[in-house]
Each structure stands twice: as C-alpha cells, then as structure tokens.
Amino acid sequence: MPDTITIFDTTLRDGEQSPGCSMSVDEKLEVAKALVDLGVDVIEAGFPIASPGDFHAVQKVARAYGDRTTICGLARCRPEDIERAWGALEDAENVRLHVFLATSAIHREFKLKMAKEEILRRAVEMVKLACDKMAARPDITTPDVEFSPEDAARTELDFLAEVVERTIEAGATTVNIPDTVGYATPNHFYDVIKYLKDNVPNIERAVISTHCHNDLGLAVANSLAAVDAGARQVECTINGLGERAGNAALEEIIMALRTRQDVYGVTTNINTTKLFPTSRLVSNITGMKVQRNKAIVGQNAFAHEAGIHQHGMLQERTTYEIMRPDDVGFVGTNLVLGKHSGRHAFRDRVTSLGYQLEEQTLQAVFEDFIALADKKKDVYDADIVALVENRSHHIPEDWKLTAFHVFGGTGTIPTATLELTHEDGRRIQDASTGDGPVDAVFRCLERITELTARLQEYNVHSVSGGKDALGEVSVEIEHGGRTYHGKGVSTDVIEASARAYLQALNKATAANGAGREPHTQHGV
Ligand code: KIV
Ligand code: ZN
C-alpha cells in the first residue's frame, strides 16, 4: 500500500492573509465546505488571536465541519495565542493546534531578539501548553499539536534538528518545516528533510510536514522534493494563494503526485474532479484571477492550439495529454443547451458540472438561463458556470439593481439613470454623468447607496465564444481601508459593470454593518 500524504490546506489562513484576499465569515464557510468536499485532511481555518472576525470564522468552520475533517487554528508561542486558538476550537470534534516560533539566526537576532536557548525553552513550553489544553478534554487521548520552526529553510541544520527533537519530545505530533521566505531550492530542501530524518532520534514519532512559499517560483517543486525525502504532510493553498508570491498550489501538488505516482509512490484522499470547481470558487470569492496558462486550473491548461498537436490528439489522446480534463473537473466551452432545453436537462447539466444547488437557487439560475437563452442562441458550459457562481455563494444584497438606462456616444455627455431597491423596501431613482457610461453608472450607484469607493481594478472578459457571449466584469474597490471584490455577468457589459460594482458596494455595506475589523496582530 502506498503511503497517503496528508493534505493540509491553508487557503483560509495563509491564503487569506495575502493583500486583497480577505474573506467574510460566510465566504470562509463556503470555501471550507468546498475543501471538505474536495477531501482535504486538515483545514487551517485562521489565526484566532488576529481579530474577532478570525476567531469567529475558525469557531464556525470548526463547529460546522470538525466532524468531517480536522480543523486547525494557528497560534504564536504565547499563552494568550494558544488560549484564544483553543477557545475557537474546543467544542468541535477533530481539531489541531498549530504553534510556531521562528528559529533562523536572522529572525532570532532582528525580530525576536532571543538566543537559541530561549527559543528552545519557549517552543517546548508552548507545545506542552497546547498539549495540556487539548488533553484536558476527556475524549482526546493524543493531542493533535503541530509545531513550525518559522524560517526553517534558513535555520542552521543542527539547531533545527534540536528544536524538532525537543518539540516532538514535548508532544508535537506533526513538525512542519516552513520555507517562509521562498528561499529554498529542490535539492537544498530535500537535504533539509533528509537531515532531519537521519539526525533526529525521535523523528518517527511525528509526521514531517512541508510549507513552501513561492518567491522563486519553486514552492511546488520544493514540496515535492520534501515528499521524496520523507515528508508525509504537505501544506498548500488553492490556486497557490498566499503571502507575496503565494504558497505551494494544492492542485499542482495533487496532480503531480497522481500523474507521477511512478516517481513518488504515494497517494492522497483528494477527489481530483473537484479541483477545477474549487479553484473557480476561491477565485470568485477572493477576486484573485487565475492566469489563463496556469497549470491544472487555467483556462488554457487543456487547450491544444497547434495543428500538429491537434492532429496527434485525434490519433491518440496521450500523444500530447498527460491528464484528462475530466480528471480535474475542467469545464470547457462545449455547446450544451438552448432555449428549448427543459428544467430537467438544465438540472442534469448543473449537477454534472459539479454543483449541488438548493431548489430555490436552482430555480433562480434556471430563470437566468432562460433569459440568457432568449438573448443568445447557444449556451455553453462556461456560461452556465458563470450563472451558477453568480447566484450560488452567499453575497449580501442590501441593494438590488431594478432598472438602468445609459446614454452615451461621441459629442454627448455620458449619462446613467438607475433605480435601486433596498432590502427595507425603499426604491430610489437617480442619475449621474461621467467620463463614459461605466463611470456614469458607478457614480450613480455611489449617489444612491451613499457610499464612496476607489476603483482599484476593472476587468471585462467574455465567458464563452461568439459576439453574443456573456460578458463577465470583475471589479476591486477600496473603501475604509479595505478591499472588496464584485462580479457581474450579462450579455450587456454596462449592465455587468453595474452589477459588479453594486456587489462590491453591498459587501462594503455589510462589512461596515458587521463591524468587520482589519487583522491587527498577524506578525506571521
Ligand atoms: O510561512 C510560514 O512560516 C508560516 C508559518 C506560520 C507556518 O506561515
Ligand atoms: Zn506561510
């Protein structure tokens, strides 16, 4: 039997920490559900001491999904951090405490101002404290505690081995070896893990884990080298989200391990057909676009353009294809449905695309589909995915767009007239001028909602092919020091722009109302 690699997903913690990627509690719950369905073994749901929002997110994720996977909370080596992390996890079923402390000379001298002996003492004490907290619960016989020597890849090997040995002795069941600044190379990282395997006497009592950042574009390669050397847990994120250049991309690790099982000889519990939908969901929620040629989940990942490739593929698929699009749940642009397709055919298609919608949402998406099919002859899988994603995740909707009219052209003053309806029943009409029709629409939305924001990014792309394709607009706005994303789809790109901007404003309103606070004490 091949060894099974534990997949530890940190999209909700390290991924969420990257600029512009913060998620609301509801959004985190939605991503957590997708991660559970994907089959990840551990979800690092947040850093509870960072903010009350982080605490509640970890608590809710742990309560909702702790019976289906292990939910982890991060803590620095401080009693108050461990207390807070345990507070968020204590009443959930399968939980893990993850404590970390930097060990490299550069961090010891300039960040922590602590000598080696002090680092050792603090790490051991805090691992013991974490174990004691967990062991106080009658049903926990072996506390699930992970220790990370931050910046391990730049730590002296003999000191790293000592820290690892002592923290295992103190009770850590997983020792995670982070390349915090993305400095390692595959050979170097292989040697680090191999050194620990050969020089830490009690290493067999813990799982060796890897946590690689992508500053040199080597995070996935380094993680795989670590697996080769004996690591049995990989920490990663969907789409490689994370601090700076990101973390190792989960989808790439999984497909490399699977496609090259002949090399690695290991397996995972991941349902690979959920990789593409999960990637779309995370991209939608965070507003972080996936580059077209990104491995595994990019739109071009399975596109064969060159004639010679297409010819080869027609003769024998494996001439140019090492994975099937279906293996990763890839959604292409197959022609599927038209105006006369019934509700049954539509439901079947949505299900086979990997979505399980509640009856009410399915009905709403079906109505959107009928409206779209009225305007557009051919509806593709990609159009359906855009419609489903536009409706399916929980987005606050204080204001709804109920009518709009724009006027523009050369030699005229672009003008937008809008009507919005508020949840409380108010219906407000107003008009604005602008530099162009989109600008006029955005100004008018701000007048009605009484919210001013700074547009940071505006993108429009066509969801499928043809002149009548659906246009998908995504915006990123800044309001009150925070970033919000919005998306809108329509065959009319001005309407899609209005919907995208309004969605972002609605998120800002909801966050203001919920008193959503910025992360304050990360220090990771
Ligand atoms: O990159 C890092 O070192 C971390 C640790 C907290 C594991 O994210
Ligand atoms: Zn990290």
Side-chain angles (χ1 to χ4, degrees), residues 55-132:
F55 177 89
H56 287 121
V58 176
Q59 188 173 57
K60 284 197 165 174
V61 169
R63 286 178 179 171
Y65 299 111
D67 59 340
R68 293 181 61 195
T69 189
T70 297
I71 311 298
C72 174
L74 182 68
R76 289 167 300 186
C77 272
R78 298 182 183 194
E80 62 275 25
D81 277 41
I82 293 170
E83 197 68 53
R84 192 83 175 134
W86 182 239
L89 297 170
E90 63 188 340
D91 54 5
E93 209 169 313
N94 299 303
V95 288
R96 173 179 295 186
L97 279 172
H98 178 188
V99 290
F100 74 98
L101 183 63
T103 49
S104 65
I106 201 158
H107 278 237
R108 293 195 309 264
E109 187 180 343
F110 297 106
K111 186 176 91 172
L112 299 171
K113 302 191 190 334
M114 283 163 80
K116 283 181 176 171
E117 300 65 42
E118 227 179 323
I119 300 270
L120 265 175
R121 188 166 23 86
R122 175 84 69 88
V124 166
E125 268 174 26
M126 292 302 114
V127 167
K128 280 191 175 147
L129 178 66
C131 290
D132 290 349

Side-chain angles (χ1 to χ4, degrees), residues 13-14 74 98 100 148 150 176 178 180 211 213 524:
R13 199 278 296 170
D14 222 338
L74 182 68
H98 178 188
F100 74 98
S148 288
E150 192 190 3
N176 178 42
T180 305
H211 176 112
H213 280 269
V524 183

